[in-house]
Amino acid sequence: MLEFLSSFSGSITGVRKRSILDPYRDSIVAMKKEKKTAKYIFAVISREGYDGSYSNLKTFISKLNRESHEEKTIVPVLSRKQLTKLLYKDISKFKKEVQEKLKSYIRTKNSRWSTEL
């Protein structure tokens, strides 16, 4: 059994398998941004030559939604040590780019603080 499993170790590369919907990816993303339904998208890409199933499209769309959600949820984090160092410092004495990063961090955490800076 071990020999059987080890024979596949070299062939696993982690490369994503090409989807039948890849040629329509840009169109699908654009229509999703316009809040079009999956039924509408299916009709449009079917006219463009897509001959796959509706359920395959739904799965593809849910993966796109998951990917875009993961990208949106990345939030910068300050450690307790970093925050303690910044508590009593005058933000105006920092470089402009550091000031902007701090302001954007505070905006993402608490919108009422963004008006005070």
Side-chain angles (χ1 to χ4, degrees):
M1 180 71 170
L2 217 46
E3 292 173 17
F4 176 75
L5 291 175
S6 65
S7 67
F8 287 104
S9 65
S11 63
I12 300 173
T13 60
V15 177
R16 186 176 71 89
K17 184 179 174 187
R18 185 164 153 74
S19 171
I20 191 172
L21 286 159
D22 279 345
Y24 308 99
R25 182 184 182 95
D26 294 336
S27 301
I28 294 170
V29 169
M31 287 186 267
K32 284 304 293 176
K33 285 182 181 177
E34 295 172 3
K35 307 286 188 207
K36 302 296 184 189
T37 64
K39 287 182 181 181
Y40 178 83
I41 294 170
F42 181 73
V44 170
I45 64 174
S46 292
R47 278 186 256 128
E48 293 176 3
Y50 173 67
D51 60 350
S53 68
Y54 177 73
S55 63
N56 191 19
L57 173 66
K58 291 283 286 182
T59 303
F60 188 81
I61 290 172
S62 70
K63 286 180 183 177
L64 286 176
N65 290 339
R66 235 178 298 137
E67 288 171 6
S68 68
H69 179 70
E70 289 171 359
E71 291 172 4
K72 290 178 186 176
T73 57
I74 297 173
V75 178
V77 177
L78 286 176
S79 70
R80 181 177 288 185
K81 186 176 180 179
Q82 291 171 323
L83 188 58
T84 306
K85 284 181 178 180
L86 292 172
L87 271 175
Y88 299 103
K89 291 188 178 183
D90 185 11
I91 194 172
S92 64
K93 293 182 181 177
F94 293 140
K95 293 179 183 176
K96 286 286 186 194
E97 54 197 47
V98 174
Q99 288 180 23
E100 292 303 316
K101 285 182 184 179
L102 288 171
K103 286 178 183 180
S104 68
Y105 176 77
I106 291 170
R107 278 188 209 106
T108 60
K109 291 297 182 186
N110 191 341
S111 62
R112 71 180 170 89
W113 288 3
S114 65
T115 58
E116 295 173 10
L117 293 177

